[in-house]
Amino acid sequence: MMANTLTSIILVMLFCGSAVGSRTKLFSNKDWVLDSDEGICKLMVEIQGYACEEHMVTTQDGYILSMQRIPMGRSGEASSERAPVLLQHGLLMDGITWLLLPPDQSLAFMLADSGYDVWIGNTRGTKYSRRHTLLDPQDRAFWDWSWDELVAYDLPASFQYGTLVALAAFSQNQLLSMSRSAVLLSPIAYVGQMTSPLARNAAENFIAETLYWLGLDEFDPRGEAAVNLLKVVCKKPDVDCTDLLTSFTGRNCCLNSSIVDIFLEHEPQSTATKNTIHLSQMIREGTLAMYDYQDVFENMKHYGQPTPPMYNMTTIPNDLPLFLSYGGQDALSDVNDVQLLLESLKDHDGDKLVVQYREDYAHADYVMSSNAKQSVYDPLIAFFKLQ
């Protein structure tokens, strides 16, 4: 089972980022190791010569989440002193995000070879986390969540999701007993100035809401309904769908076609339609708030007030070590939105905040770039070793 302390956590990608945590048992006695011949370990890790374990963790609201553990580097040298690190993907992705590049360039393998006990999370609704103690994915209730529930339930269980969720939970002091530092890659908190033509057009034309009204509670990017609505968005004059990845993430500098092919074999993944509605609300309103039920009575029932509460980033403790890297070409984590986040961190202790800016990077570069090792991962690991 997992070590008794959690010293580091990273969360990233497609509506997310990275973070580092500390000193708390991650699993309860009800959690268990998955003995399976199928899964990310067999598919992506063991074939590279690394030991790997499949684990499952259950959230307080009953979702059973898949996790993978790489307990040692390829050399096979085990140590009880290895600090655990959790890698968490973001919206429309799963844990394979961290395993796309060759072993000497993928962050998960690099961390294992650098002496860390690496854990990989998979958010509810993705291929390897489609189980619940009571519900079935065919039930509407299975998909009745947004990232508010990830803050309330999943992060306390396994430091789930991504920058957006990590920052929100940090701001509510939920993770401070477990976190001693955080790495935020291509961080998304504020999204009101997002420039992605696909994401912005989908939000402004209420695409997610349309799917929900049609009774589609699961947002499956590969599903017929999503594909048909994408065709509608692609007819907009300001959307160029000849290169969907660029239209969504921005012009990535350093992807090669073979990595993109591997990416498309496994991604994108499903999420709750309600989750995409929540993100669309944030894009339209430019706020960092909880889910808006668009009904005063429903908001009162859930929040005790007529409008959704705001997440306050200024409450993140000033002495929490943070490493933040963002890109000048990122259409999801726009530079102007990141500046809003940095403004909320203006009182952060100067020696506790490291900010890296990559002018040539877009969103996907942070997990698939051919030079991510030298440009981002090596400095990131150096930051870890200082904590």
Side-chain angles (χ1 to χ4, degrees):
M1 286 299 291
M2 187 174 184
N4 288 329
T5 60
L6 177 64
T7 54
S8 303
I9 172 174
I10 307 179
L11 305 98
V12 170
M13 245 357 241
L14 252 20
F15 287 108
C16 49
S18 300
V20 182
S22 106
R23 307 269 177 209
T24 295
K25 186 173 181 180
L26 196 62
F27 293 125
S28 70
N29 293 330
K30 293 182 179 179
D31 301 312
W32 49 286
V33 179
L34 177 66
D35 184 13
S36 174
D37 290 331
E38 296 183 359
I40 291 177
C41 279
K42 182 73 68 177
L43 185 65
M44 301 294 293
V45 180
E46 293 174 0
I47 61 172
Q48 300 292 354
Y50 290 78
C52 188
E53 303 168 0
E54 293 280 357
H55 290 253
M56 305 294 269
V57 59
T58 303
T59 66
Q60 286 188 3
D61 59 344
Y63 288 86
I64 301 171
L65 309 177
S66 165
M67 300 188 75
Q68 291 73 43
R69 182 192 185 195
I70 307 176
M72 62 192 74
R74 190 151 48 173
S75 67
E77 296 181 7
S79 171
S80 60
E81 300 301 316
R82 285 178 172 262
V85 177
L86 175 62
L87 302 177
Q88 185 60 57
H89 64 88
L91 181 67
L92 305 182
M93 308 289 284
D94 68 1
I96 289 176
T97 295
W98 304 106
L99 304 163
L100 296 170
L101 294 165
D104 62 342
Q105 299 175 40
S106 287
L107 184 56
F109 295 126
M110 288 178 60
L111 286 165
D113 288 331
S114 296
Y116 292 92
D117 182 6
V118 178
W119 291 78
I120 299 172
N122 297 274
T123 194
R124 58 176 71 184
T126 57
K127 180 177 180 180
Y128 300 101
S129 295
R130 295 176 67 90
R131 297 180 62 194
H132 190 278
T133 55
L134 298 174
L135 302 172
D136 184 270
Q138 301 304 315
D139 299 330
R140 294 203 70 179
F142 184 92
W143 300 101
D144 187 18
W145 51 269
S146 78
W147 63 266
D148 287 337
E149 281 68 39
L150 302 180
V151 171
Y153 301 114
D154 289 29
L155 265 175
S158 61
F159 271 38
Q160 193 83 17
Y161 203 31
T163 304
L164 181 64
V165 178
L167 287 171
F170 286 136
S171 74
Q172 294 191 337
N173 295 322
Q174 291 183 16
L175 302 178
L176 298 182
S177 64
M178 294 188 283
S179 307
R180 76 178 186 193
S181 56
V183 173
L184 312 173
L185 302 183
S186 188
I188 290 181
Y190 300 96
V191 290
Q193 300 178 78
M194 181 183 289
T195 58
S196 167
L198 276 181
R200 180 158 289 282
N201 269 277
E204 292 177 349
N205 288 281
F206 295 82
I207 297 298
E209 286 84 348
T210 299
L211 289 172
Y212 193 74
W213 295 332
L214 290 173
L216 299 174
D217 303 292
E218 174 185 359
F219 179 77
D220 179 2
R222 298 172 182 258
E224 181 180 357
V227 170
N228 288 338
L229 284 171
L230 178 62
K231 291 177 181 177
V232 174
V233 174
C234 287
K235 292 179 180 178
K236 303 286 182 180
D238 56 339
V239 179
D240 179 9
C241 288
T242 57
D243 184 348
L244 284 175
L245 189 61
T246 295
S247 293
F248 191 54
T249 67
R251 188 165 299 282
N252 299 282
C253 72
C254 310
L255 310 186
N256 63 54
S257 58
S258 62
I259 292 299
V260 174
D261 289 342
I262 294 173
F263 167 81
L264 292 175
E265 287 179 17
H266 305 285
E267 320 292 353
Q269 295 280 328
S270 291
T271 188
T273 302
K274 183 177 178 180
N275 197 24
T276 61
I277 292 174
H278 191 176
L279 291 164
S280 296
Q281 291 173 352
M282 294 166 57
I283 293 172
R284 291 192 297 265
E285 300 297 327
T287 57
L288 183 53
M290 292 185 174
Y291 183 84
D292 189 350
Y293 287 88
Q294 302 293 312
D295 181 280
V296 170
F297 296 105
E298 281 295 313
N299 284 335
M300 287 294 296
K301 183 172 73 174
H302 285 86
Y303 309 125
Q305 61 186 59
T307 58
M310 298 290 178
Y311 285 102
N312 184 1
M313 296 296 99
T314 63
T315 61
I316 296 174
N318 294 334
D319 59 352
L320 177 69
L322 295 175
F323 178 102
L324 187 154
S325 181
Y326 66 109
Q329 307 305 310
D330 197 330
L332 293 172
S333 180
D334 184 78
V335 170
N336 293 313
D337 281 325
V338 176
Q339 290 304 313
L340 290 175
L341 173 60
L342 290 173
E343 176 65 20
S344 70
L345 298 173
K346 64 182 179 181
D347 295 326
H348 216 78
D349 294 352
D351 61 345
K352 299 294 185 181
L353 178 61
V354 177
V355 179
Q356 180 194 59
Y357 176 66
R358 292 282 314 183
E359 172 61 36
D360 57 340
Y361 263 36
H363 209 63
D365 282 310
Y366 280 93
V367 292
M368 290 192 286
S369 171
S370 59
N371 65 8
K373 177 186 183 299
Q374 298 84 359
S375 299
V376 180
Y377 298 163
D378 285 342
L380 182 160
I381 293 174
F383 169 82
F384 276 178
K385 291 185 179 298
L386 290 175
Q387 306 312 312

